[in-house]
Amino acid sequence: MTDESAPRARFSDYVELTKPRLSLLSVLTALVGYLAAKPPLDGVKLFLLVLGTSLAAAGVAALNQWMEHDTDARMKRTATRPIPAGKVPTGSAFVLGVLMCIASLFLLFAKVDRFAALFTLLTIFSYLGWYTPAKRFSRWSTEIGAIAGAFPPLIGWSAGEGKVTALGWILFGILAFWQIPHFMAIAWTYRRDYSAVDFPMLPVRDESGGKVAVWSLINTILLV
């Protein structure tokens, strides 16, 4: 029996499921990696790279929300997301996320570059298979997420050069170190929410905020 009172999923709900603003940042960093490699001008390849990374970022976002819909429902900042709000069924979110990830990998491997597809695969598995579960049991989940989130420039660099040289890895490091103080600030702001679902990240454990500040400063120095 269906619940007639449940709101029907709209197109905008599925768009929200893909976290378009966050996904756009992943696409932009992949684009930076591609342009930094200074490849020969190829408009078609550039378009396919943007499309492929967009599909991967959107698919990962949908699957991440599918995996965390139980904790999302218990946090004020995430309770209105499409799945916990009852706007999008969990099964639909899972199928959509998987199809977008598969389409991304196929497109990048067949039409862009095999190493770009490999780094996309690493992004998907590190984010969903390592970072997302780690949020429930590891103090280092933020750092793990920073590694997962730093792969997009390598996707772009591989697409532009067919391999990754030193500057590509430097871009990877810049993005990884930048994310630590950025996400520490976010986690500190919403530490009460994270504490409510027992996420053992540093801002939850460090009530005074001193360790959070020092760790953010250290990573800022490493970034510079």
Side-chain angles (χ1 to χ4, degrees), residues 127-187:
Y127 198 95
L128 298 175
W130 191 18
Y131 166 61
T132 300
K135 288 169 72 175
R136 297 176 184 263
F137 65 83
S138 177
R139 168 261 176 269
W140 297 101
S141 60
T142 303
E143 290 74 15
I144 294 171
I147 294 172
F151 279 119
L154 299 183
I155 298 172
W157 193 281
S158 299
E161 199 169 55
K163 59 182 179 180
V164 179
T165 51
L167 183 54
W169 288 109
I170 289 173
L171 290 176
F172 172 86
I174 288 173
L175 189 53
F177 286 124
W178 172 83
Q179 289 179 89
I180 303 301
H182 172 73
F183 286 116
M184 283 291 161
I186 293 175

Side-chain angles (χ1 to χ4, degrees), residues 26-208:
S26 297
V27 176
L28 288 176
T29 54
L31 187 59
V32 167
Y34 178 81
L35 296 176
K38 297 182 178 180
L41 182 62
D42 187 337
V44 174
K45 189 174 186 179
L46 178 59
F47 170 76
L48 293 175
L49 171 66
V50 171
L51 178 60
T53 51
S54 297
L55 286 169
V60 166
L63 289 173
N64 171 257
Q65 291 184 71
W66 169 74
M67 294 174 68
E68 295 190 325
H69 70 273
D70 59 332
T71 52
D72 280 350
R74 295 159 54 195
M75 293 191 291
K76 183 178 180 180
R77 65 180 290 264
T78 56
T80 58
R81 285 178 175 175
I83 299 177
K87 298 176 183 178
V88 174
T90 54
S92 298
F94 174 77
V95 171
L96 179 64
V98 169
L99 289 178
M100 286 192 291
C101 287
I102 292 174
S104 167
L105 293 171
F106 175 79
L107 178 63
L108 292 171
F109 184 84
K111 300 296 184 180
V112 179
D113 179 80
R114 59 181 180 174
F115 287 113
L118 174 62
F119 282 119
T120 302
L121 182 64
L122 286 174
T123 302
I124 294 170
F125 274 103
S126 61
Y127 198 95
L128 298 175
W130 191 18
Y131 166 61
T132 300
K135 288 169 72 175
R136 297 176 184 263
F137 65 83
S138 177
R139 168 261 176 269
W140 297 101
S141 60
T142 303
E143 290 74 15
I144 294 171
I147 294 172
F151 279 119
L154 299 183
I155 298 172
W157 193 281
S158 299
E161 199 169 55
K163 59 182 179 180
V164 179
T165 51
L167 183 54
W169 288 109
I170 289 173
L171 290 176
F172 172 86
I174 288 173
L175 189 53
F177 286 124
W178 172 83
Q179 289 179 89
I180 303 301
H182 172 73
F183 286 116
M184 283 291 161
I186 293 175
W188 178 258
T189 301
Y190 296 105
R191 63 190 183 281
R192 303 304 179 205
D193 268 356
Y194 292 130
S195 178
V197 293
D198 299 319
F199 283 175
M201 52 186 58
L202 180 59
V204 172
R205 292 184 170 184
D206 177 27
E207 294 185 3
S208 69

